[in-house]
Amino acid sequence: MISFRGVAAVVVMGISFLVSPARGQKSAEQAAQQNGPRAVTIGDAFAIREVSDPQMSPDGQWVAYTVSTVNRDEDKTEERIWMVAAAGGEALALTAEAVSSSHPRWSPDGKYLAFLSARNDGKTQVWLLNRQGGEAQKLTDTAQDVDAFEWAPEGKRLVLVLRDAKPEELEEAKVKDKDKEGADKEKKAKTPKPWVVDRLQFKHDTVGYLDHRRTHLYVFAVVAKSLTQLTSGDFDDEEPAWSPDGIRIAFTSNRSLPDPDRTYNTDIWVVAAGNKDKGAHLTQVTTNPGEDREPAWSPDGKWIAWSSQLDPKLFQYATKHIAVAAVPEAGGKPGEAKVLTLSLDRMATQPKFSPDGKSIYFIADDDGTQNLCVVEIATGRVTRPIGGRMMLYDYSLSKSGEIAAQLTTLDRPNEIFTMPGGKLTRITHANDELLAKLKLAQAEYVKFMSKDGTTVSGYLYKPLDYTPGKKYPTLLHPHGGPVWAYYAEFDHTLQLMAANGYVVLLPNPRGSSGYGEEYCKAIWADWGNKDFQDDMAMVDYAVAQGIADPDKLGVGGWSYGGISTDFIIAQTKRFKAAISGAGAAEFTSMFGHDQYQKDYFTELGYPWEKRDVWDRVAPFYRVKEITTPAMFMGGSSDWNVPVLGGEQMYQALKMLGRDTELVVYPGEYHEFKVPSHIEDRLKRYLAWYGHYVKGDAAPARLPQDTSEPAVKAGEK
């Protein structure tokens, strides 16, 4: 029934556990293969292959991509690079197992693939692989990790994105020729130095404390293996894009003076690829005070397109648009930007010019989907080469316009698609074998009315083997962001909940993207009000449809979904159980502790001046009203939404004598990476909801170590 060797998952009292099959008895998986598709289990989360980063070869004949798989023995995820013909066929693995490789990029002649990998316990470097086969060759050898790279049009240079090296990295580079044992002893003997902080933006999740080491651009000559720094200064430079003639490089940077940490501004800049003054003379392309990102050159090199947020005060709530402008002469003044997608009023990202330069491709976030769109520069007319109820995450184009796209649907994880003859065709089959074994719950995209008459949308999963007329225990699952949404994509956790007999509600309340800027900014400085009403409206809708049992409701989410959970249980007693993951409820204590200092004072004002606003959006001050049994979760290293938010809620409810629990995962950032932690989290979801929502006799609290079953088969 699941992919662990010799182990099967069973459902006891509504909770999935791992048990060994009795001697002489067929495994549940063997039985499922004989009896037909089976329900989704916890273990299936680690059998799914995550397919991403499609890269169409220059001639349009091949697609390179990455596949991530879980290594249960080493409790980590590994990533490999694969290649398949653009017309479909047998996929070929290009990189080895047991070492992760990512960011495949074709050389302009299509003969080589360069990629990023950290091998032999070294730094992440650029490696080169001949498409015809053979061992990968290490290309770069920098003191620090290579963050990203792109080929120059003639194929003899790369632009690298490098963060300024740490002093210890420079020292290690000096002693790298020493014997490894001696170098390791020297490294271990050093005591970590203190962090000295003097920046306004001084934290970031997965990085930690920030100093003045910044990311800059370098040109790497492939044959000579020489490195030339193109940009410098107390600014971060990223997203490099070569001009078609290879003479210039466009990039994204916030070079606001006197302090870029105080603004959301990023602009598009151009630097000469042969520049040797470290960026002392740059050409500015955009002047919009909001974020301008993702530069893309026209085929003739005269224009640059980008994704632009026009209102800096709205920051994440502002709609991103596709804009285009003529490239100024070196040192010249920026030209007038033409915004192409104002009438669309949808988040528009990842622009790429069509081969004839008359149109621009982009991804549009629209009505619970992401589609691939094209806008005509002359007319502003928008069409959708790849549209429908799907989630398109990424795409690439060949020189002649063939498309390779990464997309997922409600019933299938991410795969790669091409469009031979204009017909959308799936060319990878990474998850076919797994899906053939599974019986999936069906999801519906529904619309309903909120308290004030606003139309709200969302996805509704019915339990596996749903019977019309029967009411089911129901879980409300607010999404993160808040500027994000639920989309038409495969989600193992939702399928797991449906397989365990739950209706699952996924509302896109106000604050969500995909419904226009007015809808998105409706919760500005007013969290937990209109979005709360919209979330509850979906619960009312499911009850009115006779699907949801009003006496068996649970709620839970992650990030802003965890924050929403705190808001919800502080305003209503309708829910029998809650799980708040990476949430927060008292924001003055998060100010200066998480990574959102700038967001706080932009949206809420300074806490010492606007205390009434801060208190109004803080469900912590209504904690006495909470009676819902609530579990709080988080990662110990999360600087996005630190576990402090969960600790505060747990401590308050514990002091009040409420039924509560706190689970902290060591070393995890905001997005969990360790498979055993993800498995543990899923088990706790099922146990907590099973006990409090369904009324199962099985315990709500699992032991600290859930690697063994908490309940064995046959026990109660």
Side-chain angles (χ1 to χ4, degrees):
M1 210 175 160
I2 131 145
S3 59
F4 297 111
R5 298 190 189 99
V7 178
V10 299
V11 177
V12 180
M13 303 300 290
I15 305 174
S16 295
F17 297 107
L18 304 180
V19 298
S20 299
R23 181 176 296 178
Q25 184 180 8
K26 292 182 179 179
S27 71
E29 184 170 351
Q30 290 171 326
Q33 290 173 344
Q34 292 181 2
N35 300 329
R38 59 172 174 80
V40 171
T41 67
I42 288 176
D44 292 322
F46 312 110
I48 296 170
R49 298 171 179 266
E50 295 292 342
V51 180
S52 62
D53 200 8
Q55 295 296 314
M56 181 71 79
S57 63
D59 61 7
Q61 298 300 305
W62 298 90
V63 181
Y65 59 98
T66 63
V67 179
S68 296
T69 57
V70 172
N71 184 328
R72 291 290 289 171
D73 293 334
E74 297 188 19
D75 205 16
K76 66 178 184 180
T77 299
E78 296 174 352
E79 191 172 13
R80 298 177 72 187
I81 296 171
W82 291 69
M83 180 178 72
V84 66
E90 184 178 357
L92 305 173
L94 299 182
T95 59
E97 294 181 299
V99 58
S100 284
S101 303
S102 63
H103 196 74
R105 294 296 183 269
W106 294 97
S107 61
D109 60 9
K111 294 181 179 179
Y112 298 92
L113 267 175
F115 61 92
L116 294 177
S117 187
R119 302 184 175 202
N120 306 318
D121 298 323
K123 297 290 183 179
T124 298
Q125 299 294 328
V126 181
W127 294 70
L128 194 64
L129 186 67
N130 191 314
R131 194 181 78 183
Q132 302 300 320
E135 293 293 327
Q137 304 297 316
K138 187 178 180 182
L139 199 57
T140 62
D141 190 20
T142 58
Q144 67 276 60
D145 293 323
V146 177
D147 290 346
F149 72 89
E150 297 297 336
W151 284 97
E154 83 292 335
K156 297 180 180 179
R157 297 168 295 165
L158 302 173
V159 58
L160 308 182
V161 179
L162 301 175
R163 181 174 295 277
D164 298 331
K166 300 176 183 177
E168 53 267 33
E169 289 176 325
L170 296 174
E171 186 63 28
E172 287 173 13
K174 292 179 182 178
V175 302
K176 66 181 179 181
D177 294 331
K178 294 182 180 180
D179 66 281
K180 187 175 185 303
E181 181 179 355
D184 286 345
K185 286 181 179 178
E186 183 175 347
K187 182 178 179 180
K188 291 177 181 177
K190 294 182 179 179
T191 300
K193 296 179 180 179
W195 290 292
V196 179
V197 174
D198 65 354
R199 284 182 55 181
L200 178 66
Q201 184 68 48
F202 69 94
K203 278 184 179 179
H204 200 278
D205 194 33
T206 75
V207 177
Y209 288 103
L210 301 179
D211 52 25
H212 290 276
R213 292 184 306 110
R214 298 286 198 161
T215 56
H216 296 298
L217 307 185
Y218 295 73
V219 166
F220 177 80
V222 173
V223 175
K225 293 194 174 183
S226 60
L227 197 65
T228 302
Q229 186 171 352
L230 292 186
T231 63
S232 61
D234 198 11
F235 318 104
D236 286 308
D237 306 318
E238 55 190 347
E239 300 180 331
W242 288 88
S243 62
D245 58 11
I247 295 176
R248 296 169 293 177
I249 298 173
F251 64 96
T252 301
S253 185
N254 182 352
R255 292 177 168 256
S256 304
L257 297 175
D259 184 2
D261 284 349
R262 291 187 178 275
T263 77
Y264 293 101
N265 179 63
T266 54
D267 284 308
I268 308 302
W269 300 76
V270 170
V271 62
N275 169 71
K276 294 185 179 180
D277 60 11
K278 296 185 178 181
H281 299 90
L282 301 175
T283 300
Q284 188 171 358
V285 178
T286 68
T287 57
N288 168 44
E291 286 192 2
D292 296 328
R293 307 193 66 89
E294 303 176 317
W297 291 83
S298 63
D300 60 8
K302 296 180 179 179
W303 301 82
I304 288 179
W306 66 93
S307 178
S308 182
Q309 281 182 309
L310 304 181
D311 189 339
K313 181 174 175 54
L314 284 179
F315 59 106
Q316 64 171 329
Y317 300 95
T319 296
K320 299 176 182 178
H321 292 286
I322 301 302
V324 64
V327 183
E329 296 293 332
K333 294 183 179 181
E336 183 178 354
K338 181 179 182 180
V339 182
L340 303 176
T341 58
L342 284 174
S343 62
L344 183 64
D345 193 21
R346 295 292 185 268
M347 297 289 187
T349 58
Q350 298 188 42
K352 291 180 175 65
F353 274 89
S354 61
D356 63 8
K358 296 180 180 179
S359 301
I360 299 171
Y361 288 85
F362 64 96
I363 295 177
D365 177 345
D366 183 22
D367 194 29
T369 71
Q370 282 193 174
N371 291 175
L372 183 63
C373 296
V374 176
V375 59
E376 294 178 359
I377 297 174
T379 66
R381 177 174 175 263
V382 175
T383 55
R384 303 188 185 220
I386 304 179
R389 196 136 295 279
M390 62 179 65
M391 179 64 172
L392 190 146
Y393 271 105
D394 199 3
Y395 74 104
S396 65
L397 301 175
S398 71
K399 290 181 179 179
S400 54
E402 289 86 0
I403 300 170
Q406 170 198 336
L407 64 89
T408 170
T409 53
L410 290 164
D411 59 355
R412 184 173 295 277
N414 280 291
E415 297 281 6
I416 306 302
F417 290 72
T418 55
M419 297 187 67
K423 181 181 179 182
L424 189 64
T425 303
R426 182 162 62 92
I427 62 169
T428 62
H429 304 271
N431 293 292
D432 285 8
E433 183 179 352
L434 173 64
L435 292 176
K437 302 174 184 177
L438 303 180
K439 184 177 182 180
L440 300 180
Q442 300 302 306
E444 302 173 18
Y445 190 60
V446 299
K447 296 183 181 293
F448 45 91
M449 299 291 286
S450 190
K451 181 180 179 180
D452 62 0
T454 300
T455 299
V456 183
S457 305
Y459 288 94
L460 185 153
Y461 283 75
K462 292 178 180 176
L464 211 58
D465 301 323
Y466 167 75
T467 301
K470 182 179 178 181
K471 297 179 181 179
Y472 291 86
T474 298
L475 302 178
L476 174 65
H477 195 48
H479 68 66
V483 181
W484 187 237
Y486 281 118
Y487 299 94
E489 61 181 321
F490 184 88
D491 190 305
H492 166 268
T493 300
L494 306 179
Q495 289 288 343
L496 178 67
M497 295 304 171
N500 279 270
Y502 294 99
V503 173
V504 188
L505 307 178
L506 309 176
N508 284 337
R510 277 168 283 188
S512 302
S513 55
Y515 304 93
E517 188 169 283
E518 289 300 317
Y519 190 91
C520 198
K521 72 179 186 180
I523 66 168
W524 168 269
D526 193 23
W527 315 330
N529 181 14
K530 294 182 177 68
D531 49 343
F532 166 77
Q533 295 171 21
D534 298 351
D535 288 339
M536 297 307 298
M538 191 168 194
V539 176
D540 294 337
Y541 169 83
V543 170
Q545 294 295 310
I547 301 170
D549 186 338
D551 296 322
K552 293 185 176 181
L553 301 176
V555 60
W558 199 264
S559 193
Y560 192 81
I563 294 171
S564 291
T565 298
D566 294 345
F567 276 118
I568 288 167
I569 61 176
Q571 296 183 68
T572 178
K573 294 179 170 58
R574 294 178 66 179
F575 295 92
K576 303 299 182 184
I579 300 177
S580 175
E586 205 294 306
F587 298 103
T588 57
S589 58
M590 305 298 278
F591 180 77
H593 184 61
D594 62 20
Q595 66 184 27
Y596 293 111
Q597 301 95 326
K598 188 164 50 187
D599 293 6
Y600 285 129
F601 63 68
T602 300
E603 186 170 357
L604 302 181
Y606 295 111
W608 52 90
E609 294 178 352
K610 300 287 186 178
R611 184 60 186 266
D612 59 327
V613 178
W614 286 73
D615 287 355
R616 188 180 70 243
V617 300
F620 182 80
Y621 297 113
R622 295 192 290 271
V623 71
K624 287 178 64 177
E625 304 301 319
I626 297 175
T627 58
T628 305
M631 176 188 290
F632 301 92
M633 291 181 164
S636 68
S637 300
D638 185 350
W639 287 132
N640 187 318
V641 186
V643 74
L644 169 67
E647 291 172 338
Q648 290 174 328
M649 287 293 284
Y650 164 77
Q651 183 74 92
L653 292 178
K654 196 70 174 178
M655 289 290 291
L656 292 169
R658 309 291 196 260
D659 206 346
T660 186
E661 187 171 45
L662 174 68
V663 184
V664 182
Y665 291 89
E668 291 285 9
Y669 300 115
H670 195 60
E671 301 291 337
F672 281 18
K673 300 295 184 184
V674 180
S676 62
H677 288 166
I678 295 171
E679 179 185 23
D680 180 273
R681 183 171 62 179
L682 291 172
K683 288 180 178 180
R684 295 183 191 278
Y685 286 171
L686 291 175
W688 194 261
Y689 288 136
H691 181 79
Y692 289 107
V693 176
K694 287 184 174 180
D696 290 344
R701 290 171 176 78
L702 300 183
Q704 183 172 359
D705 182 3
T706 64
S707 59
E708 294 297 327
V711 178
K712 295 181 179 179
E715 293 184 347
K716 294 184 179 180

